[in-house]
Amino acid sequence: MNLLPKSCQEFGSVDYWEKFFQQRGRRAFEWYGSYLELCGVLHKYIKPREKVLVIGCGNSELSEQLYDVGYQDIVNIDISEVVIKQMKERNASRRPQMSFLKMDMTQMEFPDASFQVVLDKGTLDAVLTDEEEKTLHQVDRMLAEVGRVLQVGGRYLCISLAQAHILKKAVGHFSREGWMVRVHQVANSQDQVLEAEPRFSLPVFAFIMTKFRPVPGSALQIFELCAQEQGKPVRLESAERLAEAVRERQQYAWLCSQLYRKAGLGSVSLDLCDGDTGEPRYTLHVVDSPTVKPSRDNHFAIFIIPQGRETEWLFGMEEGRKQLAASAGFRRLITVALHRGQRYEGMDSIQAELSARVMELAPAGMPAQQQVPFLSVGGDIGVRTVQHQDCSPLSGSYVVEDVQGDDKHYFRRLIFLSNRNVVQSEARLLKDVSHRAQKKRKKDRKKQRPADAPEDLPTAPGQSIDKSYLCCEHHKAMIAGLALLRNPELLLARPRYNAVMFDVDSKDPTLGMSCPPPAFVDQPFLQKVKSILTPEGVFILNLVCRDLGLKDSVLTGLKAVFPLLYVRRIEGEVNEILFCQLHPEQKVATPELLEMAQALEQTLRKPGKGWDDTYILSDMLKTVKIV
């Protein structure tokens, strides 16, 4: 039996609905959800003693169920004589105070201000099928009648999918009338995450239009959005911003629906924002591992990235997250990055805040009541302290922050917020080990820690910089290249002339070379570099170039000025460190180069000076080759 209309315009036809209810019989037809799914928002906006008009009631059980829980002053109207007769027969004895009337909602017969609530479940959506003039005129008459029969302070409560043209019409009409406009999300396609077949890819909304007494000369317009059933409304500045916010919720629901139905959608990321401020609070990446064999306990997990570590390759790059997901052994892993400028109480509070949201992203096939594990590194959320933030006229907003690494060391980082996942500059902070600082820290710990808690608080950083620390592998390789000076004592005597180093990134992302900017490898510029080097000096360049043709051109230009060229490629990165010298006869074999690197390290390791023991200079040069 086919109950669908031949065209969407038939939804507004009396004949179509007469035929529909004749063919369907007495089985209830529910648009956009049952009473159980909608009762939260209905009870929020309708009081039991209020007089309610239900327009386009059909044979839905909604009015009956409202009546049974105490809402007994309900009038139902519909244009179908068939369905009104059915509903009268069904309710005559069990619900004597509830009435059903055949009536056209565009020409209602009630006196003005007869009702405190007009309830519409899908009727506006059924009528407003397009934006043709005839349709819009019919909808204008319908909404005008809704406004006429409502008392001041009354509410038009419309359950809708909030498609763009419907939202635009409803919001535009009532805001021009001076009513308060609120859009409240009441159901989501993933609210029943474990359903075999979610019914809608679009979420269901309620429009709550509250009638205000007209104020002559007033242009006040109120637009609000409730994104959660029990959430606080957020005031928005315009109808356009309200439409945009609704569209974002619809896109999110569609994404949840797609993630539920199938895995392996590719790179999926989204921001979860603070409900009060609208500021991003969490960034989520969804990572599927199709090679993981399914079992009862490995369907789904959440990984909280400690603050300050979101820039690491394992967490900040797609390939790194894939490796993390594979090693974790779950079919789907969601990584969660915590935003700077937001306050987090700890892992337990984050878990409580995220539990409902992340379940909307769960894959199909997960057992009912499955506990979803929250994972992290070391079980904590890390430490991040913003020391300074400002705006540069050249690079935009930036922040200087101290973060704690996985080895409990603290690092001071410069981040340009235009590219917040890239550390522009990093220094390691020395621990404050003075006797006074130790005594104060011990005293503070005793104050803060319960008597039975272990003494494992991290050591706070001092303000001194560890000058021996190099944060990147390519920086270590660049320093190791100074071994080519043969006599490392020259480095300490005249550093301006014996070595020149370039590690400068390009600000133009359209180029095939992101480091250095092209001007730094032009022939005139390279000739200037040559002019300031001593004959035995070395020019060291960090080259990041994915365009093979462009890279060959750069190497050719370098060799034209510096005939002796060594290269050290960084494993797992695009970086290549080039060591450039002026005289080919200075070429050294690998064994000799390693001995020179050992001599350089001995020279740099001066008594009383800091030194980073996590690497050995000679190891940095084992894979060096001559270009």
Side-chain angles (χ1 to χ4, degrees):
M1 181 181 2
N2 183 17
L3 297 178
L4 293 176
K6 294 177 181 178
S7 69
C8 58
Q9 284 81 7
E10 285 194 33
F11 276 125
S13 161
V14 176
D15 292 340
Y16 168 74
W17 288 111
E18 292 283 26
K19 183 180 177 183
F20 176 92
F21 288 115
Q22 283 174 349
Q23 290 184 340
R24 185 173 178 86
R26 297 182 181 275
R27 287 182 298 118
F29 179 70
E30 300 294 351
W31 288 73
Y32 306 158
S34 66
Y35 167 76
L36 288 177
E37 292 165 306
L38 301 173
C39 63
V41 73
L42 296 177
H43 293 181
K44 184 179 179 74
Y45 295 107
I46 308 175
K47 298 180 178 64
R49 295 182 179 277
E50 289 183 316
K51 190 168 185 179
V52 179
L53 171 65
V54 180
I55 57 175
C57 64
N59 67 357
S60 166
E61 296 176 346
L62 183 65
S63 296
E64 298 166 330
Q65 290 164 326
L66 280 171
Y67 186 96
D68 292 344
V69 296
Y71 297 82
Q72 298 194 350
D73 198 351
I74 301 178
V75 177
N76 301 271
I77 65 170
D78 200 283
I79 55 172
S80 168
E81 188 170 348
V82 171
V83 80
I84 290 298
K85 182 180 178 182
Q86 289 176 1
M87 296 302 283
K88 282 182 175 180
E89 292 173 355
R90 199 163 88 188
N91 290 279
S93 59
R94 294 181 58 191
R95 301 174 183 92
Q97 292 176 261
M98 186 159 64
S99 58
F100 291 87
L101 305 171
K102 179 183 180 301
M103 192 179 296
D104 184 350
M105 61 189 172
T106 66
Q107 302 176 64
M108 290 190 277
E109 300 162 17
F110 306 111
D112 295 355
S114 297
F115 299 94
Q116 290 153 306
V117 176
V118 173
L119 178 57
D120 166 354
K121 184 157 82 83
T123 303
L124 178 62
D125 286 17
V127 175
L128 188 48
T129 54
D130 54 55
E131 295 186 275
E132 293 182 5
E133 185 177 352
K134 180 181 177 182
T135 305
L136 293 176
H137 179 64
Q138 184 180 19
V139 171
D140 283 336
R141 291 165 56 201
M142 167 191 167
L143 298 181
E145 280 291 274
V146 167
R148 183 183 67 79
V149 301
L150 270 177
Q151 300 174 8
V152 172
R155 295 163 302 287
Y156 172 47
L157 204 163
C158 174
I159 308 299
S160 168
L161 289 184
Q163 293 166 283
H165 69 289
I166 293 171
L167 183 67
K168 176 183 175 183
K169 183 64 177 175
V171 170
H173 176 91
F174 290 108
S175 63
R176 284 192 298 273
E177 295 292 321
W179 293 30
M180 187 182 87
V181 173
R182 178 180 292 177
V183 177
H184 194 131
Q185 185 172 346
V186 295
N188 188 293
S189 64
Q190 293 299 306
D191 279 351
Q192 293 78 36
V193 168
L194 301 177
E195 281 187 2
E197 294 184 7
R199 282 163 294 175
F200 297 116
S201 291
L202 288 174
V204 177
F205 292 89
F207 304 158
I208 300 93
M209 311 298 190
T210 305
K211 182 176 182 178
F212 283 3
R213 192 180 304 277
V215 178
S218 173
L220 177 65
Q221 292 184 319
I222 300 175
F223 304 100
E224 293 183 340
L225 175 72
C226 276
Q228 299 176 19
E229 191 162 287
Q230 300 304 323
K232 296 179 180 178
V234 176
R235 185 72 57 91
L236 301 168
E237 62 272 15
S238 65
E240 291 74 21
R241 181 66 191 95
L242 177 61
E244 182 183 344
V246 169
R247 187 165 59 250
E248 289 170 357
R249 301 301 304 175
Q250 291 169 331
Q251 290 169 346
Y252 174 70
W254 179 87
L255 173 63
C256 292
S257 175
Q258 294 301 303
L259 286 170
Y260 180 78
R261 288 181 169 89
K262 54 189 175 183
L265 291 178
S267 180
V268 175
S269 64
L270 60 149
D271 286 338
L272 296 184
C273 299
D274 185 293
D276 295 327
T277 66
E279 293 293 320
R281 183 163 170 79
Y282 300 100
T283 293
L284 277 55
H285 286 88
V286 181
V287 188
D288 287 326
S289 299
T291 58
V292 173
K293 187 176 180 181
S295 70
R296 177 176 174 79
D297 299 323
N298 76 340
H299 288 271
F300 189 43
I302 316 301
F303 190 97
I304 307 297
I305 302 169
Q307 295 179 93
R309 299 191 60 186
E310 63 277 353
T311 58
E312 296 178 18
W313 179 82
L314 191 64
F315 309 125
M317 302 298 291
E318 184 177 356
E319 288 303 315
R321 290 189 290 267
K322 286 181 179 178
Q323 181 176 310
L324 175 66
S327 62
F330 288 89
R331 287 175 53 214
R332 175 170 291 167
L333 184 73
I334 295 184
T335 65
V336 180
L338 314 181
H339 277 249
R340 59 180 56 83
Q342 296 286 323
R343 181 177 177 82
Y344 305 96
E345 297 298 332
M347 185 65 76
D348 290 343
S349 67
I350 289 175
Q351 183 171 346
E353 188 177 356
L354 286 178
S355 289
R357 275 286 159 259
V358 295
M359 286 304 297
E360 296 171 343
L361 307 174
M366 203 168 74
Q369 307 303 318
Q370 176 78 57
Q371 286 290 107
V372 177
F374 276 69
L375 314 174
S376 188
V377 179
D380 62 28
I381 63 170
V383 178
R384 187 204 316 264
T385 305
V386 174
Q387 299 291 358
H388 181 72
Q389 53 189 21
D390 210 332
C391 185
S392 160
L394 295 177
S395 302
S397 298
Y398 66 89
V399 63
V400 178
E401 61 188 21
D402 291 349
V403 299
Q404 187 184 35
D406 59 348
D407 57 358
K408 301 302 182 184
H409 277 103
Y410 279 83
F411 299 87
R412 181 157 295 169
R413 293 173 175 169
L414 169 65
I415 308 282
F416 290 128
L417 297 184
S418 58
N419 196 0
R420 60 183 66 238
N421 281 334
V422 175
V423 176
Q424 189 70 23
S425 182
E426 179 180 84
R428 186 166 66 187
L429 300 177
L430 293 170
K431 294 177 182 178
D432 189 349
V433 295
S434 67
H435 176 71
R436 179 178 296 179
Q438 287 179 334
K439 190 174 180 180
K440 182 179 186 301
R441 194 175 304 123
K442 191 172 183 180
K443 185 177 180 181
D444 290 344
R445 286 184 183 181
K446 286 182 178 179
K447 287 181 180 179
Q448 297 171 7
R449 193 180 72 255
D452 58 347
E455 189 168 342
D456 59 354
L457 295 176
T459 303
Q463 296 299 307
S464 300
I465 302 298
D466 183 352
K467 297 178 182 178
S468 71
Y469 172 73
L470 297 172
C471 64
C472 306
E473 286 297 302
H474 66 272
H475 287 168
K476 297 170 186 176
M478 293 173 79
I479 294 298
L482 296 174
L484 291 166
L485 290 173
R486 293 180 179 272
N487 183 1
E489 295 290 346
L490 292 174
L491 179 66
L492 303 178
R494 292 185 298 165
R496 288 181 60 197
Y497 305 102
N498 290 284
V500 175
M501 296 184 180
F502 285 172
D503 182 23
V504 185
D505 67 325
S506 171
K507 301 300 182 187
D508 186 351
T510 63
L511 301 175
M513 183 169 64
S514 55
C515 183
F520 281 63
V521 289
D522 284 347
Q523 287 294 303
F525 192 81
L526 293 176
Q527 289 293 341
K528 290 182 180 180
V529 174
K530 175 182 175 180
S531 70
I532 65 172
L533 275 179
T534 57
E536 70 279 5
V538 59
F539 169 43
I540 302 174
L541 174 70
N542 178 26
L543 177 66
V544 182
C545 186
R546 291 175 171 82
D547 185 326
L548 296 181
L550 180 57
K551 182 165 72 172
D552 287 342
S553 173
V554 170
L555 293 176
T556 300
L558 282 167
K559 287 201 67 131
V561 181
F562 300 96
L564 180 56
L565 208 61
Y566 303 84
V567 62
R568 202 283 196 182
R569 293 180 174 86
I570 306 300
E571 185 178 355
E573 300 180 20
V574 187
N575 302 66
E576 294 180 309
I577 308 306
L578 300 171
F579 308 111
C580 315
Q581 290 192 293
L582 296 170
H583 303 293
E585 62 272 13
Q586 292 177 325
K587 180 174 67 174
V588 294
T590 300
E592 183 183 358
L593 181 59
L594 299 183
E595 290 179 4
M596 293 163 63
Q598 291 168 2
L600 172 64
E601 186 166 326
Q602 290 175 1
T603 301
L604 296 176
R605 281 178 177 266
K606 294 297 184 182
K609 298 288 186 181
W611 183 259
D612 186 351
D613 290 314
T614 60
Y615 67 98
I616 299 172
L617 283 183
S618 57
D619 290 347
M620 295 290 108
L621 300 179
K622 286 181 178 178
T623 58
V624 165
K625 296 180 179 179
I626 293 179
V627 177

